[in-house]
Amino acid sequence: MKFHYYLLINQAAGSGSGKKVADKIIPLFAEKNLTYSVYYSKWKGHDAQIAEELAEDTLKEWTEETREQEAPFPLLVIVGGDGTLHQVLNTFHQLKVNFPVAYIPAGSGNDFARGIGLSRNAVKALENVLAATEPQEINLLSYEEKISDRQGVVVNNFGIGLDAAIVHATNHSNAKTQLNKYKLGSLSYIFSILRVFFVQKGFPILVETSGKQVSLEKAFLCTATNHPYFGGGVAIAPTADIAKPTIDFVVVERINLFKILWIALLLTQKKQLHSKNFHHFTTSKLRIVSTTSQYGQEDGEDTEKQPFDLQLSTKKQLFWCNLTL
């Protein structure tokens, strides 16, 4: 089957890693005599705009009819970080289309690539894409937030509490912009952790899973995920499996510093489930209610403080890859 590859490239991803990855892989398309077009994302939100324009004029859904057509199939190849992937797939979600996409990781965390077992080496990831003969279904999280009347999809995780407050502090830090110029953006994240950790308070939440309700009075960090990783490789939910249509929800309670450090140590050994202050739920549908205003984050995109009535389920997305899940 023939393809025309549409490369959507976020050069700024990963503090400039997007440009380096693009410089590596674009010549390979020419060397392999592949037909392609290149679209560069130039500002925040441009990823979504390009995706919408391609969705309206160029891309096609994967069907038996398109499989057998003689004309080259238009395949979107996303080159960027998890945030770039988030923007594109949410654009498709709002348009109610499900185009297959390929992904070449070029971010700083690349948790989604870890979660699906895709190489973070750009050339190997491209080889994986070119070796595939058909798309694979991969489970994402689909959410609906009743209070703010928002909905969308998440490729990694939806967080409320500590991780969201850290993301908010980082994204709104003047230091981040300056440090990114010197490719030291990760330092702004560390500064935000130190700044937020001691001021984030415990808050009450209601968790509803498969008809059962659990109330927790001092939630500190709350993360719903569909694969093990968050924060650039931390296995927050080591038993999560993206091949299964399930949601893994983790809650860490607000406890004293020594107990938090103990859980952090257990995290490095993937033994955090042994702590009584670490709660883990696996379910097909999840509802989280927080009556007190908290920061939220979805794939690193933060929201202002608000109460939450959040409902999550899973949604299948076609990825053009050659993986064993």
Side-chain angles (χ1 to χ4, degrees):
M1 186 175 183
K2 296 181 180 179
F3 297 88
H4 186 102
Y5 298 93
Y6 290 84
L7 278 64
L8 194 167
I9 299 171
N10 184 347
Q11 297 184 95
S15 300
S17 293
K19 184 180 186 306
K20 292 180 180 179
V21 168
D23 291 343
K24 286 182 181 179
I25 67 169
I26 289 176
L28 298 178
F29 282 85
E31 288 178 15
K32 297 176 182 294
N33 295 317
L34 302 172
T35 59
Y36 65 97
S37 302
V38 179
Y39 297 81
Y40 291 104
S41 171
K42 297 179 180 178
W43 60 80
K44 185 176 176 62
H46 198 196
D47 307 314
Q49 181 181 324
I50 294 170
E52 184 172 355
E53 291 170 355
L54 289 173
E56 292 175 349
D57 302 330
T58 305
L59 302 177
K60 296 181 180 180
E61 296 197 4
W62 181 253
T63 64
E64 287 298 325
E65 183 178 344
T66 54
R67 184 200 299 263
E68 297 174 2
Q69 70 182 10
E70 293 184 8
F73 182 79
L75 180 61
L76 179 63
V77 181
I78 301 166
V79 182
D82 293 338
T84 309
L85 188 60
H86 173 94
Q87 291 290 332
V88 173
L89 295 184
N90 270 279
T91 300
F92 292 167
H93 180 77
Q94 301 302 330
L95 294 172
K96 296 181 171 58
V97 293
N98 189 2
F99 301 121
V101 300
Y103 177 53
I104 308 297
S108 53
N110 295 324
D111 282 325
F112 181 75
R114 283 187 181 86
I116 68 172
L118 179 67
S119 175
R120 275 104 66 201
N121 177 286
V123 175
K124 290 182 179 179
L126 177 59
E127 290 173 352
N128 185 288
V129 170
L130 299 179
T133 56
E134 61 183 6
Q136 290 185 238
E137 286 187 336
I138 291 179
N139 295 296
L140 305 181
L141 298 186
S142 174
Y143 74 86
E144 182 177 1
E145 207 295 299
K146 297 286 189 179
I147 295 174
S148 60
D149 193 26
R150 292 187 302 113
Q151 59 181 355
V153 292
V154 179
V155 302
N156 288 325
N157 47 69
F158 197 120
I160 301 171
L162 178 66
D163 64 322
I166 292 169
V167 168
H168 178 84
T170 304
N171 289 350
H172 296 269
S173 168
N174 292 328
K176 180 181 179 181
T177 303
Q178 297 302 317
L179 289 168
N180 277 341
K181 293 180 181 179
Y182 302 99
K183 299 180 181 179
L184 297 171
S186 59
L187 287 179
S188 63
Y189 189 78
I190 295 172
F191 293 153
S192 296
I193 293 174
L194 296 175
R195 173 183 164 191
V196 170
F197 183 86
F198 294 101
V199 298
Q200 175 67 34
K201 297 179 180 179
F203 56 96
I205 62 167
L206 174 69
V207 181
E208 187 174 307
T209 62
S210 304
K212 298 180 180 179
Q213 292 187 349
V214 177
S215 295
L216 297 169
E217 295 301 319
K218 294 184 178 180
F220 185 51
L221 180 150
C222 308
T223 298
T225 183
N226 61 328
H227 63 68
Y229 305 103
F230 92 145
V234 177
I236 188 71
T239 58
D241 187 349
I242 202 166
K244 297 178 180 178
T246 55
I247 306 161
D248 283 74
F249 182 53
V250 165
V251 181
V252 178
E253 293 182 85
R254 185 44 157 148
I255 47 182
N256 66 52
L257 177 60
F258 295 106
K259 289 183 178 180
I260 289 286
L261 292 175
W262 174 245
I263 290 178
L265 177 61
L266 293 176
L267 270 170
T268 64
Q269 303 171 356
K270 298 182 180 181
K271 295 180 179 180
Q272 60 268 34
L273 298 182
H274 294 171
S275 170
K276 66 178 182 180
N277 301 116
F278 186 99
H279 306 276
H280 178 235
F281 308 85
T282 300
T283 181
S284 58
K285 291 186 178 181
L286 174 69
R287 182 185 179 204
I288 310 163
V289 179
S290 170
T291 55
T292 62
S293 293
Q294 299 294 327
Y295 288 115
Q297 69 85 18
E298 47 193 276
D299 294 335
E301 298 290 326
D302 63 284
T303 62
E304 292 296 329
K305 277 188 172 182
Q306 64 164 79
F308 283 89
D309 186 350
L310 181 66
Q311 298 184 33
L312 297 109
S313 56
T314 59
K315 176 185 178 181
K316 294 188 181 298
Q317 167 66 41
L318 292 175
F319 277 84
W320 200 271
C321 53
N322 189 26
L323 303 171
T324 302
L325 295 176

